[in-house]
């Protein structure tokens, strides 16, 4: 079994790196942080023209139909430059939910528009003010917390919603009048919707609160089990987010190594000190562990393996840990300069903290990993070879 990308996928990866290195400078990212909450980065239109939005969307729905492995390599390169674009919410969440669970009519209507950049999508599933517990049964939420779906309309509040200030459509979790959880598709253009920008750790992500007041909504295809569907979409998104985190962590490591090689103290390179070497070695080890888990997740995602929940949890946990460590220690290794606006460290630290909560907290994913592993161990036919031998 080959857990590596092929020549064509590496070509896409290298081409994406060259493009983003040239068109997504850190100065551009800083400028975007101070821009209006409803303004979209000029980089977005260039990404649209490159066709990246349609990489994993089937050809019959206006995409390129290349596959998830190609999407993974693009995600890693977007993470390397902390690109301030709504790529993740539109492609990892909204488009994926429609591909997996939308009706044929919904796919024909929305996927070509998402692939062409005409529409920006998102998923609104959190109602507690934080991306905390997506695995907790939605039916167990207090009635006062739930968005209600009644006869083609929804009422309630969702927050935070990733890129909610920019999105044109959203897949929303709601409860119907019988108390059952459903997934609905809404267009975010009616006057029965109010958007409120939220203060985010990473201002480039444009998180928002969406308030619905009898807002028109359609049930998402024939989704019979909304909780199972939500878990599946978030598992798939977690793997793609893991590649963004690995890309960001790798860049933090490179910046730290470059700095400690150049910086001198007492006429000696900072990088020559043993304590600094230990930090860099640990950073490298965590990054490589996260990369291997991300590759495992990419295989599970691309092959439709039953191991997807286990692979997603492993990739999510290791990628979150490695990005947090690389961003934090990379900042420390820059000394006092690392805390200034002029140095890039803060951009990566902000993004690491934001991504750490995008599809649920670390505690949530640790619990999911344990539960999934135990479930596999109880069903010997589904135990992965590497787990059975461990």
């Amino acid at each position: 079994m080959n857990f590596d990308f092929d020549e064509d996928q590496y070509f896409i990866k290298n081409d994406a790196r060259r493009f983003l290195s040239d068109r997504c400078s850190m100065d551009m990212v800083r400028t975007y942080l101070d821009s209006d909450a409803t303004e979209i980065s000029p980089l977005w239109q260039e990404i649209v023209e490159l066709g990246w939005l349609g990489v994993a969307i089937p050809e019959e729905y206006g995409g390129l139909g290349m596959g998830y492995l190609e999407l993974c390599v693009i995600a890693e390169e977007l993470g390397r430059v902390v690109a301030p674009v709504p790529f993740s919410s539109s492609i990892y969440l909204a488009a994926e939910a429609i591909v997996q669970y939308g009706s044929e009519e919904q796919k024909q209507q929305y996927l070509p528009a998402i692939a062409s950049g005409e529409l920006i999508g998102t998923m609104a599933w959190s109602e507690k003010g934080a991306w905390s517990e997506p695995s907790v049964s939605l039916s167990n939420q207090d009635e006062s917390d739930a968005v209600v779906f009644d006869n083609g309309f929804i009422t309630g509040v969702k927050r935070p919603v990733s890129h909610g200030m920019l999105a044109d459509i959203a897949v929303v979790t709601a409860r119907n009048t019988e108390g059952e959880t459903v997934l609905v598709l809404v267009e975010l253009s009616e006057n029965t919707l109010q958007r409120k920008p939220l203060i985010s750790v990473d201002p480039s992500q444009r998180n928002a609160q969406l308030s619905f007041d009898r807002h028109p909504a359609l049930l998402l295809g024939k989704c019979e089990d909304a909780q199972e569907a939500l878990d599946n979409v978030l598992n798939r998104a977690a793997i793609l987010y893991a590649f963004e985190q690995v890309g960001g962590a790798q860049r933090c490591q490179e910046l730290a190594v470059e700095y400690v090689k150049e910086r001198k103290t007492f006429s000696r390179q900072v990088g020559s000190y043993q304590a600094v070497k230990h930090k860099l070695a640990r950073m490298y080890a965590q990054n490589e562990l996260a990369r291997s888990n991300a590759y495992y997740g990419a295989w599970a995602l691309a092959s439709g393996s039953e191991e997807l929940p286990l692979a997603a949890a492993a990739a999510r946990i290791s990628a979150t840990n490695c990005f947090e460590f690389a961003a934090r220690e990379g900042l420390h290794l820059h000394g006092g300069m690392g805390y200034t606006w002029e140095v890039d460290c803060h951009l990566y630290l902000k993004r690491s903290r934001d991504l750490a909560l995008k599809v649920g907290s670390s505690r949530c994913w640790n619990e999911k990993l344990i539960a999934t592993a135990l479930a596999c161990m109880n069903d010997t036919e589904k135990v992965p070879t590497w787990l059975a031998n461990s």
Side-chain angles (χ1 to χ4, degrees):
M1 186 179 295
N2 180 18
F3 284 101
D4 200 2
F5 299 112
D6 62 26
E7 183 178 347
D8 291 338
Q9 288 152 2
Y10 271 114
F11 177 82
I12 294 173
K13 179 184 177 72
N14 295 332
D15 193 52
R17 180 169 298 188
R18 285 193 296 269
F19 168 77
L20 290 171
S21 297
D22 179 54
R23 305 311 296 258
C24 186
S25 67
M26 293 298 104
D27 288 339
M28 187 272 282
V29 175
R30 286 183 178 82
T31 300
Y32 187 68
L33 294 181
D34 293 330
S35 65
D36 184 80
T38 59
E39 182 179 339
I40 192 165
S41 169
L43 178 66
W44 178 248
Q45 187 56 43
E46 296 184 82
I47 287 177
V48 169
E49 293 171 359
L50 289 172
W52 290 1
L53 303 185
V55 163
I57 295 176
E59 290 182 88
E60 60 265 34
Y61 304 121
L64 300 179
M66 299 177 72
Y68 291 105
L69 295 181
E70 288 76 11
L71 185 58
C72 287
V73 300
I74 290 174
E76 182 177 349
E77 296 310 312
L78 289 171
R80 267 184 71 88
V81 296
V82 290
V85 292
F87 191 90
S88 58
S89 66
S90 195
I91 303 304
Y92 309 167
L93 295 171
E96 193 61 24
I98 296 172
V99 168
Q100 297 297 320
Y101 299 103
S103 66
E104 183 64 26
E105 182 180 355
Q106 289 167 345
K107 292 177 183 179
Q108 293 287 356
Q109 180 177 356
Y110 293 108
L111 290 178
I114 292 176
S116 67
E118 180 183 345
L119 294 179
I120 296 173
T122 188
M123 174 173 271
W125 54 266
S126 175
E127 295 166 345
K128 298 181 179 180
W131 292 298
S132 55
E133 305 296 337
S135 62
V136 174
S137 176
L138 294 171
S139 61
N140 290 336
Q141 291 176 347
D142 294 336
E143 292 186 5
S144 59
D145 291 335
V147 168
V148 177
F149 174 71
D150 181 13
N151 197 27
F153 298 92
I154 59 171
T155 300
V157 178
K158 289 288 186 179
R159 64 187 299 266
V161 179
S162 180
H163 295 106
M165 295 303 297
L166 302 175
D168 301 297
I169 62 170
V171 177
V172 181
T173 58
R175 180 183 293 175
N176 62 22
T177 53
E178 286 76 34
E180 300 169 336
T181 302
V182 294
L183 288 179
V184 297
L185 189 59
V186 302
E187 296 183 3
L188 306 178
S189 58
E190 301 285 338
N191 54 14
T192 51
L193 165 73
Q194 290 185 348
R195 307 189 203 218
K196 177 183 177 182
L198 299 178
I199 298 175
S200 306
V201 174
D202 183 354
S204 71
Q205 295 303 283
R206 302 297 197 248
N207 299 322
Q209 172 180 293
L210 302 183
S211 301
F212 303 100
D213 182 12
R214 286 195 57 78
H215 188 80
L218 294 172
L219 287 172
L220 184 64
K222 298 179 180 179
C223 179
E224 298 179 357
D225 188 334
Q227 181 63 56
E228 181 180 345
L230 175 63
D231 285 343
N232 185 41
V233 172
L234 295 184
N235 282 340
R236 303 170 82 86
I239 293 168
L240 296 163
Y241 278 122
F243 273 91
E244 284 199 18
Q245 291 169 307
V246 167
Q250 181 65 37
R251 185 56 183 154
C252 287
Q253 178 187 320
E254 294 170 0
L255 291 171
V257 170
E258 291 172 6
Y259 184 81
V260 299
K261 282 183 176 179
E262 296 176 358
R263 181 67 174 173
K264 290 185 178 182
T265 178
F266 303 110
S267 301
R268 179 178 173 182
Q269 282 185 329
V270 171
S272 66
Y273 290 97
Q274 194 71 14
V276 172
K277 292 179 181 178
H278 286 167
K279 285 183 181 290
L280 292 174
R282 184 179 172 189
M283 193 183 297
Y284 172 82
Q286 289 202 12
N287 288 358
E288 290 305 301
L289 174 62
R291 183 177 296 278
S292 65
N293 281 311
Y295 279 28
Y296 172 43
W299 166 80
L301 181 61
S303 64
S305 170
E306 293 183 353
E307 299 176 29
L308 177 64
L310 187 64
R316 172 66 175 171
I317 293 167
S318 57
T320 298
N321 290 342
C322 89
F323 196 11
E324 166 65 22
F325 182 81
R328 185 182 69 245
E329 295 301 327
L331 186 149
H332 292 167
L333 290 172
H334 278 74
M337 287 292 295
Y339 292 84
T340 63
W341 178 260
E342 289 73 17
V343 179
D344 299 336
C345 298
H346 68 98
L347 299 173
Y348 289 92
L349 184 61
K350 289 171 182 173
R351 183 60 61 89
S352 74
R353 298 290 170 84
D354 185 83
L355 290 181
L357 293 173
K358 265 297 194 265
V359 285
S361 65
S362 294
R363 182 175 68 87
C364 160
W365 285 94
N366 278 312
E367 292 176 354
K368 182 180 287 191
L369 177 62
I370 294 170
T372 306
L374 289 175
C376 286
M377 295 301 289
N378 292 330
D379 188 347
T380 55
E381 293 182 358
K382 296 183 179 180
V383 179
T385 303
W386 64 268
L387 183 59
N389 295 332
S390 62

